[in-house]
Amino acid sequence: MKKSISKILTAFSLISALFFSSCDGVIFYTIRDEVELDDAEISGDIAKVVRYQLDGVENVFVANGKIYCRSVDTAHDASGNEVEFTDSVANSKIDWTTFAKPSGIVYDLAADSQYLYAVAIIYDDDDDGYNVPTTRTVYCYDSSSSSWTSVFSATYSSSVSSRLFCTNAPKNDNRKAYFRYGSDIYELNGTAQLGDDIAAGFVYATADNASVGTFTTTEDSSSTAFNPLSCAYFNGTVYFTALYAMTTNETLDDEASYLYYATGDNVYYSTDASTWTPVDLSCDTILSLAVTQNYLIAGTDEGVVHTPYTTKAENDVGGIPTEGTADFDTNADSTLSSYYEVNSVLVIDPSLGEYDGTIYASIDMSGTSASLNNIGLWSYYAYKGKWNRE
């Protein structure tokens, strides 16, 4: 009996050794990469992280029903003294400020070079006592008066799609904001009323690429129009796509020389917005793109991936992405994992390497194994070297 038990234990030990050895690349790698999570300050559904200069200071804003902001000044510390990036507010984990919001539940933001915009839904009780959406409203925040103004309002209808989006460019002068309601597209302009002071426009596919288009206020029945979901500023023009992910290699100091968009798991790049070349990342469906000095980051419907560049841009930021993906040197793939959709990624200073700067990402549920406690905003700070909750 003892010999039988001994044999069983020996067999079990061998199987266990083989099992845990084979899982080293999955289980133990994840355990090594685990960090104690910070208390979540920004939770819930977050559409994107938006750049906006509040009273001349660079900030990022997010919305999850309420609105929050924090400074990301890359050249000053919390006391306003000039410092290197490593000691700046942008590379510091600080508390977020609750920002005064307009009426309703704010679920998305956008910004141009002067104004912040919010789209909100107002709920009321129906005859049966249920809380139902009644009104969709777009607001404009004017920092000179510290007030919100309604620029568009319509009875809520689930059959009418809408989208608030912006170029979100690192350079303040290159920031433009747009609102699409059904097939009507408006270029936002402060407190000007949409449909009254501002007429609806159109986005037509370019002759070179059916997935990329430009905005015009003149209807052209001979061209193919589409409903845009994202845009980017490139060489003096705003380009749009009906896909979720579009970005450039613009930095705080240099104009863009590469324009990127994604469809499926392919990233298309161009240096003139005319000739496009696909690169297959062999990943899941790409929902967001962000550029750093040494890696192109892609948020997907099953986690985050990144790839280096085969050829660098003239300003050494961005360039031609490498096919496939590379391993992370951080805990990115165990925190922004395949259990989650990575809907938004924002790199504060794209001129820095991925591990040398500050990055924000918002995640949502993807698989049934996801934890609701992890839904919300995540961040990477160079001084910490790890991704963690905001």
Side-chain angles (χ1 to χ4, degrees):
M1 186 66 155
K2 290 181 179 179
K3 288 183 178 180
S4 298
I5 293 175
S6 177
K7 288 180 180 179
I8 291 171
L9 291 173
T10 300
F12 177 76
S13 298
L14 289 171
I15 293 171
S16 298
L18 289 171
F19 173 76
F20 285 111
S21 175
S22 66
C23 290
D24 182 69
V26 180
I27 294 177
F28 288 112
Y29 174 77
T30 300
I31 291 173
R32 283 197 302 268
D33 266 13
E34 284 296 331
V35 295
E36 183 178 354
L37 293 184
D38 293 336
D39 292 336
E41 188 176 355
I42 312 293
S43 296
D45 292 337
I46 297 169
K48 57 181 171 289
V49 187
V50 174
R51 304 175 189 267
Y52 176 62
Q53 286 198 359
L54 181 64
D55 299 325
V57 178
E58 186 77 345
N59 277 253
V60 288
F61 282 72
V62 296
N64 63 354
K66 298 179 180 180
I67 301 176
Y68 299 89
C69 68
R70 60 149 289 174
S71 170
V72 287
D73 190 333
T74 60
H76 297 85
D77 62 17
S79 300
N81 301 313
E82 289 191 11
V83 292
E84 296 296 322
F85 178 85
T86 51
D87 297 317
S88 68
V89 173
N91 191 40
S92 305
K93 189 172 177 64
I94 61 176
D95 290 338
W96 291 70
T97 299
T98 303
F99 194 76
K101 74 177 187 67
S103 299
I105 305 299
V106 178
Y107 65 89
D108 205 357
L109 301 170
D112 59 22
S113 58
Q114 290 184 277
Y115 303 96
L116 180 68
Y117 303 95
V119 59
I121 294 179
I122 294 175
Y123 289 80
D124 288 313
D125 292 336
D126 64 9
D127 294 337
D128 297 320
Y130 292 102
N131 208 228
V132 295
T134 59
T135 309
R136 179 187 278 116
T137 305
V138 178
Y139 297 93
C140 170
Y141 178 79
D142 185 347
S143 60
S144 64
S145 60
S146 300
S147 61
W148 290 96
T149 300
S150 171
V151 297
F152 175 89
S153 189
T155 300
Y156 180 84
S157 172
S158 59
S159 63
V160 179
S161 65
S162 68
R163 180 80 170 178
L164 181 67
F165 57 104
C166 58
T167 58
N168 225 10
K171 286 178 169 292
N172 189 56
D173 289 344
N174 295 344
R175 295 174 187 171
K176 302 283 186 181
Y178 301 85
F179 177 64
R180 177 174 61 78
Y181 185 74
S183 59
D184 291 336
I185 305 163
Y186 302 93
E187 181 178 348
L188 299 172
N189 185 18
T191 57
Q193 299 294 305
L194 310 188
D196 185 2
D197 299 334
I198 299 177
F202 310 87
V203 169
Y204 291 110
T206 63
D208 312 290
N209 190 322
S211 298
V212 177
T214 54
F215 178 83
T216 178
T217 56
T218 304
E219 187 171 9
D220 181 0
S221 59
S222 65
S223 299
T224 302
F226 62 76
N227 294 328
L229 292 174
S230 56
C231 64
Y233 182 92
F234 183 72
N235 285 347
T237 300
V238 177
Y239 290 92
F240 300 79
T241 179
L243 302 158
Y244 286 103
M246 192 176 218
T247 193
T248 73
N249 67 329
E250 179 181 311
T251 70
L252 300 175
D253 298 316
D254 296 315
E255 297 289 344
S257 57
Y258 279 81
L259 177 62
Y260 307 90
Y261 77 91
T263 175
D265 64 350
N266 288 290
V267 173
Y268 284 76
Y269 68 89
S270 177
T271 57
D272 58 9
S274 177
T275 302
W276 294 89
T277 304
V279 175
D280 188 355
L281 297 194
S282 297
C283 60
D284 295 289
T285 300
I286 298 172
L287 303 177
S288 54
L289 289 171
V291 169
T292 69
Q293 189 270 338
N294 53 351
Y295 284 97
L296 177 70
I297 303 173
T300 80
D301 61 350
E302 293 191 24
V304 69
V305 298
H306 73 170
T307 186
Y309 307 102
T310 61
T311 302
K312 296 298 291 294
E314 288 186 7
N315 65 353
D316 201 38
V317 177
I320 300 175
T322 302
E323 288 192 350
T325 60
D327 291 336
F328 285 97
D329 290 339
T330 64
N331 62 334
D333 53 358
S334 65
T335 50
L336 311 181
S337 72
S338 59
Y339 296 145
Y340 305 97
E341 294 181 352
V342 183
N343 295 314
S344 175
V345 181
L346 181 71
V347 175
I348 296 303
D349 187 349
S351 69
L352 299 175
E354 179 179 337
Y355 306 134
D356 301 321
T358 298
I359 309 172
Y360 295 100
S362 63
I363 67 173
D364 205 344
M365 300 285 286
S366 178
T368 56
S369 298
S371 170
L372 286 173
N373 293 331
N374 293 334
I375 303 303
L377 190 65
W378 289 72
S379 60
Y380 173 88
Y381 298 98
Y383 83 99
K384 284 183 171 289
K386 294 283 187 180
W387 282 88
N388 211 323
R389 282 303 312 268
E390 276 293 304

